[in-house]
Amino acid sequence: MSDADVHGPIDFVLLEFTGNRLTGRAAEELVQLVDRGIIHVYDIMIVGKDADGAVYAVDLAESSGQAGGFTDLAGARSGILADDDLREVAEAMQPGTLAALIVYENTWAIPFVAAALESGGTLIAGGRIPAQDVMEVLDALETLEATT
């Protein structure tokens, strides 16, 4: 089995940004991950929710700066995301925010997945711990160590 026949794990993240504009910093880093071959972006959806709770989608191909650097990924449309996803994103959002829903493949893992499959390995469980949770636990451990 060649690496071309294998895919890495596919994840999604939903990032909420306050205000009605993105600075572009997160998008720049995402584009760098793509350029370095670490991930492949399948889909990206930018959703806004105004102060009154009205929801709107930001067209990355026609955005006038509201989507920050995410416009560089306007062509990332696999069809995985649908209108139902827009509604779910909107339900999770606070008024007066923008959110980026990003579906991406962890291409860095393809050689590992191929090797595991060739060795007869089968994934029987998986999971993800959100970065914010990891940072909170590490901060708490550091505080605990400082007091002992």
Side-chain angles (χ1 to χ4, degrees):
M1 174 179 307
S2 75
D3 287 0
D5 299 328
V6 177
H7 287 276
I10 295 179
D11 290 321
F12 77 91
V13 293
L14 178 59
L15 305 169
E16 184 178 63
F17 299 88
T18 57
N20 63 356
R21 294 185 61 132
L22 304 176
T23 67
R25 177 86 171 94
E28 288 172 16
E29 291 299 326
L30 184 66
V31 169
Q32 285 186 24
L33 291 171
V34 171
D35 289 346
R36 292 172 35 212
I38 295 171
I39 65 168
H40 169 78
V41 175
Y42 279 102
D43 280 294
I44 184 163
M45 178 186 293
I46 305 294
V47 179
K49 189 177 214 180
D50 70 19
D52 296 326
V55 176
Y56 58 94
V58 175
D59 186 341
L60 293 177
E62 298 180 13
S63 176
S64 60
Q66 188 178 26
F70 287 111
T71 56
D72 292 342
L73 297 166
R77 291 194 179 120
S78 71
I80 291 174
L81 295 179
D83 290 339
D84 290 348
D85 297 305
L86 175 73
R87 286 189 285 280
E88 286 188 43
V89 166
E91 287 177 20
M93 294 172 65
Q94 296 297 314
T97 61
L98 281 172
L101 177 59
I102 306 162
V103 177
Y104 62 95
E105 177 181 18
N106 293 283
T107 53
W108 59 266
I110 291 173
F112 169 71
V113 171
L117 292 173
E118 288 170 5
S119 301
T122 302
L123 179 65
I124 60 171
R128 171 129 332 200
I129 301 170
Q132 189 64 41
D133 293 352
V134 172
M135 291 182 287
E136 288 172 7
V137 167
L138 292 176
D139 286 346
L141 288 172
E142 187 177 296
T143 301
L144 181 62
E145 288 176 5
T147 59
T148 56

